[in-house]
Amino acid sequence: MSTSADSDNQPKHESAEAESLRLIQEQQREAEASFHATYSAITNLFKVKQKKYQKTYELALLEGNISLQAIAVFGILMLLTFVVVAAIWCLVNVAIVLGIMQLSSSLWLGLLVATVINTILFAICFSLMRKAKREVGFNRTKRVIKGD
């Protein structure tokens, strides 16, 4: 009876081993397929990110070029504005001197008045520049950081 029971168990045992081996191989194939899918997804993500960063770099270069052109145009316009303002300033000074000369017939008085007006205006501009200069910087932030 034991020989007959062993022979009955042997096909079941062999089929169980075969089934177990088949399941292990199937799991390995699934794991391999899953690995390949994950690897492929990571590779595609890397390519997309790489392309995004390349396009961002190209965009930054283009924006930099546009900014440089805008700065050049701004500089030229500032220079032209300075020339126009200087010309108007000179004309105003000439008009002041000629007006004083018409009223008092004295060139020196006209020049003196124009010099005084220009000195007062420069003093006002200088004091405004000093006020603006005091506002530049991070003095309050430095005090907060130091704990004052």
Side-chain angles (χ1 to χ4, degrees), residues 37-104:
T38 303
Y39 180 77
S40 175
I42 290 172
T43 304
N44 288 339
L45 178 65
F46 178 75
K47 288 177 183 175
V48 167
K49 291 287 187 182
Q50 188 177 22
K51 192 171 189 175
K52 175 188 170 190
Y53 291 132
Q54 180 65 31
K55 295 296 180 183
T56 303
Y57 174 75
E58 291 171 5
L59 176 64
L61 286 178
L62 290 173
E63 284 182 330
N65 288 337
I66 290 170
S67 295
L68 286 176
Q69 291 172 355
I71 289 170
V73 168
F74 182 75
I76 291 169
L77 291 174
M78 286 293 292
L79 182 65
L80 290 174
T81 302
F82 174 75
V83 169
V84 169
V85 168
I88 290 172
W89 186 258
C90 289
L91 289 174
V92 167
N93 281 316
V94 169
I96 290 171
V97 171
L98 290 176
I100 298 294
M101 277 180 53
Q102 287 290 332
L103 292 175
S104 68

Side-chain angles (χ1 to χ4, degrees), residues 4-147:
S4 161
D6 285 342
S7 66
D8 284 341
N9 285 339
Q10 191 172 10
K12 289 180 185 175
H13 180 63
E14 286 177 8
S15 68
E17 283 182 9
E19 181 66 22
S20 174
L21 184 62
R22 185 187 65 77
L23 285 174
I24 289 172
Q25 288 174 347
E26 186 176 314
Q27 287 176 347
Q28 285 176 343
R29 274 186 259 130
E30 287 176 3
E32 208 173 291
S34 174
F35 172 78
H36 287 297
T38 303
Y39 180 77
S40 175
I42 290 172
T43 304
N44 288 339
L45 178 65
F46 178 75
K47 288 177 183 175
V48 167
K49 291 287 187 182
Q50 188 177 22
K51 192 171 189 175
K52 175 188 170 190
Y53 291 132
Q54 180 65 31
K55 295 296 180 183
T56 303
Y57 174 75
E58 291 171 5
L59 176 64
L61 286 178
L62 290 173
E63 284 182 330
N65 288 337
I66 290 170
S67 295
L68 286 176
Q69 291 172 355
I71 289 170
V73 168
F74 182 75
I76 291 169
L77 291 174
M78 286 293 292
L79 182 65
L80 290 174
T81 302
F82 174 75
V83 169
V84 169
V85 168
I88 290 172
W89 186 258
C90 289
L91 289 174
V92 167
N93 281 316
V94 169
I96 290 171
V97 171
L98 290 176
I100 298 294
M101 277 180 53
Q102 287 290 332
L103 292 175
S104 68
S105 296
S106 172
L107 175 65
W108 295 109
L109 183 61
L111 290 174
L112 180 66
V113 169
T115 303
V116 168
I117 290 173
N118 284 320
T119 304
I120 291 170
L121 289 175
F122 281 128
I124 292 170
C125 287
F126 186 73
S127 89
L128 289 174
M129 286 189 305
R130 284 180 51 200
K131 276 185 179 178
K133 183 181 173 268
R134 279 188 223 126
E135 294 298 321
V136 174
F138 296 93
N139 297 331
R140 293 170 190 94
T141 306
K142 288 177 188 175
R143 274 188 275 152
V144 169
I145 290 173
K146 286 182 181 178

